Amino acid sequence: MRALVGVKRVIDYAVKVRVKGDGSGVETAGVKMSMNPFCEIAVEEAVRLKEKGILKEIIAVSIGPAQAQETIRTALAMGADRGMHVKHDDILQPLAVAKLLKAVAEKEKPDMILLGKQAIDDDCNQTGQMLASLMGWPQATFASKVDVEGSNLTVVREIDGGLETIGMKLPAVITTDLRLNEPRYATLPNIMKAKKKKIDATDPAELGVDVSSKLQTVKVVEPPTRQAGGVVGSVQELMAKLKEKSLI
Amino acid sequence: MRKFHGARALSLIHRSWRMRASRTFSHSLTRSLSTHAPSPFDPSPEHRHLREVVRDFAEAEVDPQAQEFNKEEKFNLKLFQRLGELGLLGVTVPEEYHGSGMDATAACIIHEELAAADPAFTLSYLAHSILFANNLARNGSEELKHAYLPKACSGELVGGMCMSEAEAGTDVLGMRTRAEQTGPEEFSISGHKMWITNGTLDGSTTGDVFLVYASSKSPEASSSSSSSKSFSLFLVEKGTRGFTLGQQIKNKCGMRASMTAELVFDDCRIPAKNLVGKEGNAVYCMMRNLELERLCLAAMSCGIARRCVETMARYARDRKAFGKPIGQFGQVQRLVADGYAKMSAGRAFLYSVAQKLKLDADPSETNERMQTDAVKLFCGEMAKSVADSAMQVLGGNGYLADYQVEQLWRDSKLLEIGGGTNEAHQKNIMLDFLRKQVIEIP
């Protein structure tokens, strides 16, 4: 069985994100970038499925500028077999990403596609769902447990009320939630081996995908800073203040 | 169970992400390393990836245990074996012996990143991976390498090296431990070795396996003159008769999570196949390994300095006095800025030399000796002074163990003593100048 795993290069989770002076987006120059944590979980799950003998091949695909290759190398060092780099320099909306992944999937013919449930930069949480729809495949989102038996897929999902277990036939799209697994560190020998693994390159034009967007970013601003609070001496005083501000 | 959707909830997860943000302060100031052009610190993408992985690992798993193990003066064997899983224990050991086959730069990266979290743990790592594993890999017989290196690379065995004695430190060739051939296939070693890192792992028995330097009559000398002294290197394993723990050396100023011991050899009989390198040729093995050892010790100094600069810069930003951040005061600015400048100079020097060091070279044919002496001499003093500045900036808080600077301050001093005192490096450098016919620096 073959799996396609999407890996996105994002601003590192530990970086304090700053808005650019002109309000056109956030500052990325000189900022530490790394693999989206949910994508790391997707790679880890694929590697575990391969270690169980369920998967034969894992293809890590990333869409982005030249540096996205580093993110692919990280996936290769974790255990993916080869990489696919879709070169594109501008920001893409989830629909364009889903269309590109579909084009890659039609070429590579995977039995499952594993994606992070969302990226920690735009927090869209749309790509997996759109991709499943475009492919006409079933989808298992927010996975916290994945079991594969033959062509049957059983996924435990994290939902508001608790856990939901669903079953479906492969091929399918799986999006991974935080508690699915704990990603491994790449070992030094595997970092060296990753250097020799192949990364194919393509771009939206070659894949025949129109990535133009109908959305336009108007303005990006910092969240408002929290106002200092006040201390009240009694319940009566609190009620009076609330009334004064017409809050009750 | 909650489902995390929004960015706000995510920021909560990030704080506990893999628990690796336990000391999140290390990230924002220094994580701009990840530019794409090759840097002297990370000459290849693999070096950069290695640094990222080791830093993540150090923040998540090494940093949180440092205070406890240093306080208890205990070695964290479990954590050490995790380094084996990551392929770090045999960083410079060729792959055929289950090592990672990397270069001096990679070894420096690992030491630097680990030392920022826990220098004492890193010192044990150094004694094992450089003093034992690298030395054996470069100088040992095929039989010894196949027998011991795979276990050293996995962490099944923790190694060390025995050179110093109570009365022979800088004057290393004045060592009194002797090896005598007692049979066609047997040697007997007698003597005491002092300050041996990893000398014990439990406080009551010896560590697992050691490379031991001893004086011996050279084969040629034995026929002509008995006064001509030479040195040989032997591998001695725990449990060998006549090999015992003298004592664990406790109450060290710093580096307390690295266990140090006096080891005793009393007519310790070992087979001739345990000879490392040629008989009488141990000075060659010693010189060959010392250059890498010095670089890795200097890398530890750089790691200590990085953490100290980060800590004092952050403190100077957040701590207020007289109504403004103390970083607004010239006296504090000087400590932070000078510390940053010194650290940057030390790191640049370190990696420029590391890139030139060839691990398999004949030590008599390389020219890096003065440079490796100079790197360690510079970085040792540099880290000590940067740690001192950090403690000064943190004031009363810096003097407390909770802020880690206190530990780094104590640990940093060792690097002016261990693996060559400052005076030994000064002696080496001056004598190398005196040996030159023309003193000219290219």
Side-chain angles (χ1 to χ4, degrees):
Chain A
M1 235 183 261
R2 176 182 292 167
L4 196 67
V5 185
V7 291
K8 184 176 183 183
R9 183 171 177 272
V10 298
I11 294 179
D12 189 79
Y13 73 94
V15 169
K16 194 175 182 304
V17 175
R18 289 194 178 80
V19 172
K20 275 187 194 162
D22 63 2
S24 64
V26 298
E27 193 55 72
T28 53
V31 170
K32 157 90 176 161
M33 308 288 282
S34 48
M35 190 192 292
N36 176 37
F38 291 106
C39 298
E40 252 186 313
I41 294 172
V43 175
E44 175 66 31
E45 196 61 19
V47 174
R48 289 185 189 190
L49 289 172
K50 192 179 172 198
E51 284 167 349
K52 284 182 198 158
I54 292 164
L55 289 177
K56 282 274 174 296
E57 189 182 33
I58 302 166
I59 305 161
V61 54
S62 190
I63 304 166
Q67 299 92 318
Q69 285 213 10
E70 285 175 37
T71 310
I72 297 174
R73 288 274 171 225
T74 302
L76 296 178
M78 287 174 73
D81 297 289
R82 60 188 172 92
M84 169 69 80
H85 178 206
V86 183
K87 288 185 282 187
H88 188 74
D89 286 332
D90 297 326
I91 289 175
L92 290 172
Q93 294 299 322
L95 183 59
V97 174
K99 285 178 180 169
L100 288 169
L101 289 175
K102 176 175 182 266
V104 172
E106 280 166 351
K107 222 170 116 190
E108 300 289 352
K109 310 218 176 333
D111 301 277
M112 66 176 79
I113 302 176
L114 287 147
L115 304 175
K117 69 168 183 179
Q118 69 194 61
I120 62 167
D121 50 4
D122 58 22
D123 278 332
C124 279
N125 178 12
Q126 296 167 8
T127 304
Q129 294 87 329
M130 287 174 169
L131 176 62
S133 178
L134 291 172
M135 299 287 291
W137 286 6
Q139 56 180 290
T141 52
F142 316 124
S144 68
K145 194 166 182 292
V146 172
D147 280 308
V148 181
E149 268 203 52
S151 63
N152 295 315
L153 176 68
T154 309
V155 171
V156 178
R157 308 177 64 230
E158 295 192 15
I159 58 170
D160 283 340
L163 296 174
E164 178 189 52
T165 304
I166 55 171
M168 62 189 66
K169 287 276 182 202
L170 288 172
V173 173
I174 302 167
T175 73
T176 57
D177 212 327
L178 185 71
R179 279 159 287 267
L180 178 59
N181 60 47
E182 192 183 321
R184 69 193 63 196
Y185 296 101
T187 67
L188 180 49
N190 286 343
I191 290 172
M192 297 309 289
K193 273 182 213 150
K195 194 170 133 181
K196 294 182 191 113
K197 292 178 179 173
K198 205 170 113 202
I199 300 180
D200 290 318
T202 182
D203 58 41
E206 196 177 81
L207 292 169
V209 176
D210 173 15
V211 294
S212 62
S213 170
K214 295 190 172 56
L215 291 181
Q216 193 193 341
T217 300
V218 181
K219 199 165 73 169
V220 177
V221 294
E222 296 274 1
T225 48
R226 192 173 168 274
Q227 300 298 311
V231 179
V232 290
S234 66
V235 175
Q236 285 76 9
E237 203 185 324
L238 173 66
M239 296 305 284
K241 285 266 185 208
L242 290 173
K243 278 181 187 153
E244 182 190 307
K245 292 181 182 291
S246 315
L247 291 168
I248 50 172
Chain B
M1 213 176 275
R2 273 191 68 190
K3 192 168 64 188
F4 295 94
H5 279 299
R8 222 175 310 152
L10 267 164
S11 75
L12 289 174
I13 315 173
H14 299 160
R15 237 168 277 159
S16 62
W17 187 262
R18 264 192 193 167
M19 287 165 47
R20 64 186 174 184
S22 57
R23 276 182 204 261
T24 44
F25 58 69
S26 77
H27 295 288
S28 56
L29 275 165
T30 59
R31 285 211 147 196
S32 53
L33 280 170
S34 169
T35 47
H36 312 292
S39 85
F41 310 124
D42 306 300
S44 75
E46 289 71 37
H47 286 105
R48 184 175 60 237
H49 198 169
L50 171 66
R51 185 184 293 280
E52 285 174 5
V53 168
V54 180
R55 185 171 295 191
D56 280 352
F57 176 78
E59 296 309 326
E61 299 190 27
V62 182
D63 196 277
Q65 56 84 54
Q67 203 180 346
E68 182 195 337
F69 279 85
N70 277 279
K71 198 173 157 204
E72 305 281 332
E73 295 189 70
K74 279 190 181 146
F75 172 62
N76 192 341
L77 179 63
K78 261 194 169 162
L79 187 66
F80 185 83
Q81 286 167 338
R82 289 277 287 131
L83 299 179
E85 291 167 23
L86 294 176
L88 304 180
L89 291 181
V91 55
T92 61
V93 172
E95 288 164 28
E96 59 175 310
Y97 312 109
H98 301 195
S100 296
M102 295 287 285
D103 57 4
T105 300
C108 287
I109 289 170
I110 299 169
H111 283 87
E112 184 193 346
E113 294 303 329
L114 290 177
D118 185 353
F121 178 72
T122 315
L123 187 69
S124 285
Y125 168 72
L126 182 144
H128 172 89
S129 62
I130 306 301
L131 306 191
F132 178 80
N134 182 70
N135 195 339
L136 186 60
R138 299 269 126 40
N139 298 307
S141 65
E142 284 304 311
E143 188 184 350
L144 282 181
K145 288 194 276 190
H146 282 291
Y148 290 96
L149 287 177
K151 287 179 187 169
C153 291
S154 72
E156 190 184 331
L157 290 177
V158 181
M161 184 275 289
C162 303
M163 192 187 293
S164 297
E165 297 177 5
E167 290 174 33
T170 298
D171 179 18
V172 59
L173 301 185
M175 70 173 70
R176 292 197 183 155
T177 298
R178 291 189 56 78
E180 278 176 36
Q181 189 139 17
T182 43
E185 291 300 316
E186 190 189 66
F187 283 87
S188 165
I189 303 177
S190 289
H192 290 231
K193 292 291 183 181
M194 197 59 177
W195 303 296
I196 307 307
T197 300
N198 299 343
T200 178
L201 305 174
D202 57 11
S204 55
T205 59
T206 72
D208 295 336
V209 62
F210 297 89
L211 295 179
V212 182
Y213 288 94
S215 72
S216 63
K217 279 181 193 162
S218 70
E220 300 85 54
S222 57
S223 54
S224 53
S225 110
S226 60
S227 64
S228 161
K229 220 171 161 193
S230 71
F231 299 87
S232 298
L233 181 60
F234 301 91
L235 184 145
V236 181
E237 207 173 348
K238 179 181 190 171
T240 307
R241 203 167 54 84
F243 174 43
T244 52
L245 175 69
Q247 55 174 324
Q248 181 189 351
I249 300 168
K250 286 201 155 189
N251 293 317
K252 299 199 299 280
C253 168
M255 299 290 188
R256 290 163 70 98
S258 163
M259 292 175 82
T260 313
E262 177 191 13
L263 296 176
V264 179
F265 300 84
D266 181 11
D267 188 19
C268 172
R269 303 287 174 111
I270 55 158
K273 68 177 171 62
N274 281 21
L275 190 63
V276 176
K278 286 190 214 130
E279 191 186 353
N281 206 25
V283 174
Y284 175 90
C285 305
M286 194 188 282
M287 293 308 150
R288 200 171 187 180
N289 216 60
L290 267 177
E291 296 190 339
L292 181 63
E293 176 187 352
R294 291 187 196 121
L295 290 186
C296 290
L297 287 162
M300 288 177 60
S301 291
C302 289
I304 291 173
R306 171 169 69 77
R307 177 51 45 85
C308 287
V309 171
E310 288 166 1
T311 306
M312 69 173 144
R314 181 167 290 100
Y315 195 86
R317 180 194 66 192
D318 297 341
R319 167 81 178 193
K320 289 192 177 68
F322 305 102
K324 52 186 178 181
I326 60 170
Q328 298 287 346
F329 297 101
Q331 289 157 307
V332 172
Q333 288 166 353
R334 178 175 177 181
L335 292 172
V336 176
D338 284 3
Y340 174 71
K342 285 183 202 170
M343 177 210 73
S344 302
R347 285 185 89 211
F349 187 12
L350 170 69
Y351 286 97
S352 75
V353 181
Q355 270 188 313
K356 288 188 282 183
L357 193 74
K358 291 184 180 59
L359 298 178
D360 289 304
D362 182 330
S364 58
E365 287 169 9
T366 64
N367 293 318
E368 313 313 335
R369 186 172 119 161
M370 280 177 91
Q371 290 267 290
T372 56
D373 271 308
V375 168
K376 182 169 169 284
L377 179 63
F378 180 84
C379 290
E381 199 283 327
M382 177 276 288
K384 192 187 71 174
S385 95
V386 173
D388 197 61
S389 295
M391 190 182 279
Q392 195 65 29
V393 169
L394 268 65
N397 283 327
Y399 204 61
L400 305 177
D402 289 355
Y403 280 77
Q404 198 195 16
V405 164
E406 180 264 352
Q407 186 201 320
L408 297 172
W409 185 81
R410 289 184 287 104
D411 292 345
S412 68
K413 178 63 197 176
L414 187 269
L415 299 164
E416 291 193 320
I417 298 171
T421 57
N422 283 356
E423 294 71 25
H425 302 310
Q426 288 154 351
K427 171 183 74 85
N428 290 345
I429 291 169
M430 189 63 229
L431 292 184
D432 274 354
F433 270 127
L434 294 181
R435 268 190 285 271
K436 287 179 194 284
Q437 284 185 318
V438 182
I439 294 181
E440 206 177 75
I441 297 165

